[in-house]
């Protein structure tokens, strides 16, 4: 929500999207690797100002993180707790 340029806390500070979905995926994977993680990342899902990606262990979702679409900064979604399941509407 902090990075959401349409509905987040910094709506007026809209910045240019400089990071492609593929680059967001690469940055997220490097971020995990640099921390010694054996997790991989799924595809980048675009939101206004950022991308969200699932983290995967043996191909199964284990969590998620986001990549800022302007700066490339990575934000791990630790506040969600342990991943249980995904609900489709």
């Amino acid at each position: 929500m902090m990075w959401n340029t349409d509905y987040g806390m910094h709506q007026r500070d809209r910045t240019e999207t400089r990071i492609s979905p593929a680059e967001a995926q690469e940055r997220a994977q490097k971020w995990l690797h640099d921390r010694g993680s054996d997790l991989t990342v799924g595809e980048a899902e675009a939101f206004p100002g950022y991308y969200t990606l699932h983290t995967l262990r043996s191909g199964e979702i284990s969590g998620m993180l986001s990549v800022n679409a302007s700066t490339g900064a990575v934000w791990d979604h630790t506040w969600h707790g342990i991943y249980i399941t995904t609900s489709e509407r």
Side-chain angles (χ1 to χ4, degrees), residues 10-86:
H10 304 289
Q11 296 176 42
R12 290 179 229 112
D13 299 336
R14 293 180 188 215
T15 56
E16 181 181 338
T17 297
R18 297 183 178 126
I19 306 296
S20 70
E23 190 172 4
Q25 192 173 16
E26 290 172 17
R27 288 175 182 249
Q29 190 62 59
K30 182 179 181 330
W31 187 88
L32 289 169
H33 180 267
D34 289 350
R35 283 152 185 77
S37 175
D38 63 344
L39 296 172
T40 58
V41 295
E43 292 187 29
E45 184 176 354
F47 290 91
Y50 68 101
Y51 299 96
T52 292
L53 305 91
H54 287 118
T55 54
L56 310 170
R57 176 169 280 114
S58 300
E60 298 292 322
I61 298 172
S62 66
M64 56 192 312
L65 49 78
S66 291
V67 177
N68 186 294
S70 178
T71 67
V74 178
W75 183 18
D76 192 10
H77 292 224
T78 56
W79 67 93
H80 291 301
I82 297 170
Y83 172 80
I84 298 171
T85 189
T86 299

